[in-house]
Amino acid sequence: MLYSEKVMDHFQNPRNVGKIDDADGVGEVGNAKCGDIMRMYLKIDDNGIITDVKFNTFGCGSAIATSSMATEMIKGKSVDEALTLSNKAVVEALDGLPAHKIHCSVLAEEAVKAAVKDYYDKKGIAYDEELFKGIDSCESCHD
């Protein structure tokens, strides 16, 4: 079987789909090669805890499944914990992805980081630029 049961479940029944109108942080990333675009919305309380997270993904089943799993993994966690989310952890939580779909999990990790960066920027919170190095915001999708 190409996809695990968990991947199929998160693709067919994605968690946390939608939009948060008054989001504290919004991150949008994309992969121009495959056409996948992910937008992630974070609601963060005064203690830095992610109280709600939603996503909209335009892409393949793996992109939807990794977005869904990533939201499940960071909901209720601190912003600092969310920043440690790796694409490897997302893939493991989904019981694996085909090699040619690993880039989808990288997008999920980047979408979380882009949303946190947006939150930091909006709140005027200082951060280490290195944390967000290599994140392509979606402007790169539109060249």
Side-chain angles (χ1 to χ4, degrees):
M1 185 168 99
L2 194 56
Y3 294 105
S4 72
E5 281 181 37
K6 281 190 185 173
V7 171
M8 293 307 296
D9 182 40
H10 276 270
F11 167 59
Q12 292 168 335
N13 309 292
R15 281 58 145 190
N16 307 307
V17 175
K19 178 179 186 209
I20 300 173
D21 288 326
D22 58 345
D24 295 307
V26 180
E28 185 174 286
V29 295
N31 182 319
K33 284 187 218 72
C34 65
D36 292 340
I37 297 173
M38 281 181 199
R39 185 177 289 139
M40 200 151 297
Y41 303 88
L42 302 178
K43 197 78 185 138
I44 301 165
D45 73 10
D46 295 337
N47 299 317
I49 302 298
I50 298 168
T51 57
D52 197 11
V53 55
K54 300 265 188 250
F55 78 92
N56 289 124
T57 292
F58 177 84
C60 66
S62 295
I64 292 165
T66 56
S67 302
S68 173
M69 181 56 84
T71 62
E72 290 280 277
M73 293 172 78
I74 65 167
K75 197 173 195 174
K77 299 274 197 303
S78 70
V79 171
D80 289 340
E81 285 176 289
L83 283 175
T84 66
L85 178 75
S86 68
N87 71 296
K88 190 172 181 263
V90 174
V91 170
E92 284 171 8
L94 287 168
D95 295 335
L97 279 176
H100 67 285
K101 292 295 183 181
I102 296 293
H103 68 271
C104 296
S105 63
V106 173
L107 274 184
E109 175 188 334
E110 289 183 349
V112 170
K113 286 186 174 157
V116 169
K117 183 179 184 301
D118 182 55
Y119 164 70
Y120 284 164
D121 289 342
K122 283 179 178 166
K123 292 280 187 193
I125 299 170
Y127 55 83
D128 181 356
E129 292 285 339
E130 286 294 308
L131 277 176
F132 303 102
K133 211 171 172 174
I135 293 182
D136 294 326
S137 67
C138 227
E139 285 74 56
S140 64
C141 300
H142 307 296
D143 326 316

